[in-house]
Every structure is written in C-alpha cells, then in structure tokens.
C-alpha cells in the first residue's frame, strides 16, 4: 500500500506568525493609513475569505481608509519589515509549533509536502532555521501558481504528482479549507483556542466539510489513520 501524503499550509500551522506576518500587516497599515488594526480585526478579514495574501490584505485595509498607494509600494514596505536587514526582521519572531519528535514520527509513516501562500524561498528560510533535516517534497509557494488560495491550483499540482497516494491538507484559514474542497482533498483545520474569532473559524471549517478541527498541529496524530 502506498504511503499517504500529508500537505501542510505553513503560517499558523507549522509556525506561529502572530509576531511576524500579522505584526507586519498591522505595522504596514499604521504606516500608510495612520490607523491601528487589532489582531481580531485581521482575523475578521481572514475569515471573510479571499485574503490569504497578506500583501493584498494590507493594501485592501489601507485603501478602505481612503489612502491611495501603489500596491508594490505596500509590498516593498511590508517586506522591509518582514525581512529587515537580515538580523532584525519580523520573520525572526516566528516560532516552530511542532513539539520535539512529532515530525520524526510523521515522516516515518507519511510523505510530507507544503502548499503555502508565502514565497517558496521564504518558506525554505524558516524551514532551514527550525527543521533543517525535515524533507517536504514538493514545497509549493505563491510564485508557483497563477491563482492564490482559495483557488486549488497548488493543491491540484501536488495531487497530480502524487500518483495513487491518498492526500490530506492541513490549514488554518477558510481559504485553505475552500482550496481543499475545490481540489477534492480532505481537509483538517487548525483553530487555536488562543486565536481571535476561534469559534467562528471552527464553524467555517465545519461548513467546508473539514474532517477534523484541531487546536494545533500536535494533535494531528490523533486523527491520522
């Protein structure tokens, strides 16, 4: 029997991005629009769907506040915060969420892949920092697709190369869930008890036919058979 393939989203699943991507959104909006946006407000946008791209979300919020700024200008400022000069970027605030031993056990039983909304090289920077010995194949990032999540393109690419392996997708946003449903791939949702709007997010996952909803990735083995 072929090994199964577990495909992971990255942000909010493998790494806590509260103080990296979410903080970059807040600082970017404050810089251009002069308003403070809270973590629950950011989650409200995420729960609407269509805002998997944090650059797009930042630009959208800025525009909503009546500020006309080029999208690329927003991206450049956001990326400056996120990467900094290599020693002070918000990316360095990310925290690996898996407990010791989890991926050793998973890798013994399953093949592992990633479909993320971040750039592939950014994903590799974080993976090399926290889990240099782990092998995810393939790693599909935003530059590898023409349509971002909730479009299923990236997941369909992985499925097409998977042969007869059974696939599941692990994600933490409604866009992840809708992507999986569109690709006809079973979905497992991550809804942290500490997350703003957690109950609303869990209800959205249920509406998208998630096969399980977990507090975090460390519960994953309990639902994999």
């Amino acid at each position: 029997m072929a090994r199964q393939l577990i495909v992971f989203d990255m942000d909010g699943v493998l790494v806590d991005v509260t103080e990296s991507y979410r903080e970059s959104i807040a600082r970017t909006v404050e810089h251009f629009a002069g308003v403070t946006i809270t973590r629950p407000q950011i989650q409200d946008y995420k729960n609407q769907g269509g805002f998997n791209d944090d650059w797009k979300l930042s630009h959208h919020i800025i525009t909503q506040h009546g500020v006309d700024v080029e999208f690329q200008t927003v991206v450049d400022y956001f990326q400056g915060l996120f990467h900094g000069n290599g020693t002070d970027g918000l990316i360095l605030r990310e925290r690996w969420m898996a407990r010791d031993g989890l991926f050793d056990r998973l890798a013994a039983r399953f093949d592992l892949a990633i479909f993320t909304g971040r750039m592939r090289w950014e994903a590799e920077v974080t993976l090399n920092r926290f889990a240099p010995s782990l092998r995810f194949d393939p790693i599909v990032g935003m530059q590898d697709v023409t349509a971002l999540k909730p479009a299923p393109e990236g997941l369909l690419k992985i499925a097409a190369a998977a042969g007869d392996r059974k696939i599941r997708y692990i994600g933490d946003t409604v866009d992840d869930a809708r992507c999986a449903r569109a690709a006809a791939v079973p979905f497992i949702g991550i809804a942290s008890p500490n997350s703003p709007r957690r109950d609303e997010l869990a209800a959205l996952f249920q509406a998208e036919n998630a096969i399980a909803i977990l507090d975090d990735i460390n519960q994953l083995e309990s639902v994999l058979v």
Side-chain angles (χ1 to χ4, degrees):
M1 184 169 132
R3 282 163 64 94
Q4 298 177 32
L5 178 63
I6 309 299
V7 185
F8 297 88
D9 176 48
M10 191 159 189
D11 304 335
V13 176
L14 298 178
V15 290
D16 183 339
V17 296
T18 305
E19 296 303 320
S20 62
Y21 273 115
R22 297 296 171 101
E23 179 68 10
S24 294
I25 294 170
R27 291 193 191 184
T28 300
V29 169
E30 184 171 20
H31 174 77
F32 288 104
V35 297
T36 299
I37 184 168
T38 66
R39 295 294 194 277
Q41 286 173 316
I42 292 173
Q43 190 62 46
D44 285 339
Y45 282 106
K46 292 286 186 179
N47 286 355
Q48 289 176 27
F51 291 113
N52 190 68
D53 181 350
D54 290 343
W55 300 338
K56 178 182 174 182
L57 175 54
S58 300
H59 187 257
H60 175 77
I61 298 171
I62 292 163
T63 302
Q64 276 195 320
H65 284 87
V67 178
D68 183 16
V69 59
E70 290 290 333
F71 177 72
Q72 189 59 49
T73 302
V74 172
V75 172
D76 291 344
Y77 186 82
F78 186 107
Q79 290 295 86
L81 292 172
F82 190 63
H83 291 290
N85 63 13
T87 63
D88 61 353
L90 295 178
I91 190 173
L92 297 176
R93 295 188 180 185
E94 293 181 338
R95 180 175 60 85
W96 187 249
M97 299 178 75
R99 296 192 190 110
D100 289 348
L102 173 65
F103 273 100
D104 292 333
R105 297 189 300 274
L106 290 176
R109 297 174 55 200
F110 305 102
D111 294 333
L112 311 174
I114 289 175
F115 175 35
T116 176
R118 67 168 74 186
M119 301 286 284
R120 186 180 351 104
W121 72 267
E122 292 175 333
E124 290 168 348
V125 165
T126 293
L127 290 172
N128 288 336
R129 180 176 162 215
F130 289 112
S133 63
L134 267 181
R135 182 171 184 267
F136 293 93
D137 183 30
I139 298 173
V140 176
M142 68 182 301
Q143 78 273 35
D144 300 311
V145 296
T146 57
L148 302 179
K149 293 183 279 189
E153 180 183 345
L155 206 49
L156 289 171
K157 280 186 174 183
I158 294 173
D164 59 355
R165 288 177 291 176
K166 178 181 177 181
I167 302 178
R168 276 164 287 192
Y169 188 43
I170 322 297
D172 74 317
T173 69
V174 67
D175 281 341
D176 293 328
R178 290 171 180 166
C179 166
R181 181 166 57 81
V185 170
F187 177 74
I188 297 171
I190 302 292
S192 169
N194 300 322
S195 174
R197 313 294 192 254
R198 192 268 178 196
D199 292 344
E200 179 184 332
L201 180 60
L204 289 167
F205 287 160
Q206 289 174 332
E208 298 297 333
N209 300 320
I211 61 173
I213 300 171
L214 309 177
D215 290 345
D216 64 51
I217 198 174
N218 295 294
Q219 297 177 339
L220 184 57
E221 290 169 295
S222 67
V223 298
L224 295 177
V225 294

